[in-house]
Amino acid sequence: MNDDSYKQSDGYDLKEEPSLRHQVISSMAWVAGLRYTGQILTWAATIIVIRILAPADYGLMAKAGVFIGFMMMISELGLEAAVIQKKRITDEELVHVFGLVICSNILLFVVLFFSSPAIAAFYSDDRLVPILRALSTIFSVSYTHLTLPTKRIV
């Protein structure tokens, strides 16, 4: 028999399953690294915006943040928790979940991009339009990739 027949699709050898301790440490490292990277990028974007906007205009970011935060909650769709809680999940199911997340994020990007004038009209401040449109690009990044390292320890 060929030794490759004992390999799983994730690269682990079935003969030598990694210990739970190794899986937990590895998953925590990946999740922490990805979250810290995301936080650093968020801080960098905030610092850039602070440098561009006058202090009086920084309130615009708070107004935009209300809608961005709401749409971020919608973008999660509860799929990350569902993937983690499911006992067994196939690669095909993961592909479908990630495809759904990508489609929903594209839809949220389009909705926010084109509703920016209406949101700006709600606040009676047309300066929100370019800010909301720029912030809508965050939906092009899917955070569901954090699910796989977390799923490994469950």
Side-chain angles (χ1 to χ4, degrees), residues 1-8 13-15:
M1 247 192 208
N2 188 352
D3 281 341
D4 291 337
S5 64
Y6 293 105
K7 296 275 185 185
Q8 287 182 335
D13 192 348
L14 289 176
K15 294 178 188 173

Side-chain angles (χ1 to χ4, degrees), residues 11-154:
Y12 288 122
D13 192 348
L14 289 176
K15 294 178 188 173
E16 296 180 24
E17 190 70 28
S19 68
L20 180 61
R21 180 176 188 260
H22 174 73
Q23 288 178 337
V24 169
I25 291 171
S26 176
S27 295
M28 286 175 52
W30 274 103
V31 170
L34 291 171
R35 295 221 174 163
Y36 286 132
T37 301
Q39 189 63 47
I40 289 169
L41 292 173
T42 301
W43 287 342
T46 303
I47 290 170
I48 291 169
V49 168
I50 288 172
R51 301 287 293 159
I52 293 171
L53 295 176
D57 293 335
Y58 195 68
L60 290 172
M61 284 299 293
K63 291 176 184 177
V66 170
F67 288 92
I68 295 297
F70 177 69
M71 294 191 93
M72 288 298 283
M73 286 190 323
I74 292 172
S75 75
E76 293 174 6
L77 299 172
L79 293 174
E80 183 174 352
V83 167
I84 291 170
Q85 290 176 357
K86 189 167 181 183
K87 295 282 186 205
R88 298 231 180 241
I89 189 161
T90 65
D91 289 342
E92 184 179 347
E93 289 171 325
L94 284 175
V95 168
H96 289 294
V97 167
F98 292 142
L100 180 61
V101 169
I102 290 169
C103 290
S104 68
N105 283 348
I106 290 170
L107 178 66
L108 289 172
F109 164 75
V110 169
V111 166
L112 186 58
F113 188 88
F114 289 109
S115 67
S116 294
I119 295 169
F122 173 78
Y123 283 114
S124 302
D125 195 343
D126 290 334
R127 298 175 299 166
L128 275 173
V129 173
I131 293 171
L132 285 167
R133 286 185 171 167
L135 290 174
S136 69
T137 60
I138 65 172
F139 294 106
S140 63
V141 178
S142 172
Y143 294 104
T144 307
H145 59 277
L146 296 176
T147 304
L148 289 179
T150 306
K151 175 71 176 164
R152 294 248 185 246
I153 64 174
V154 174

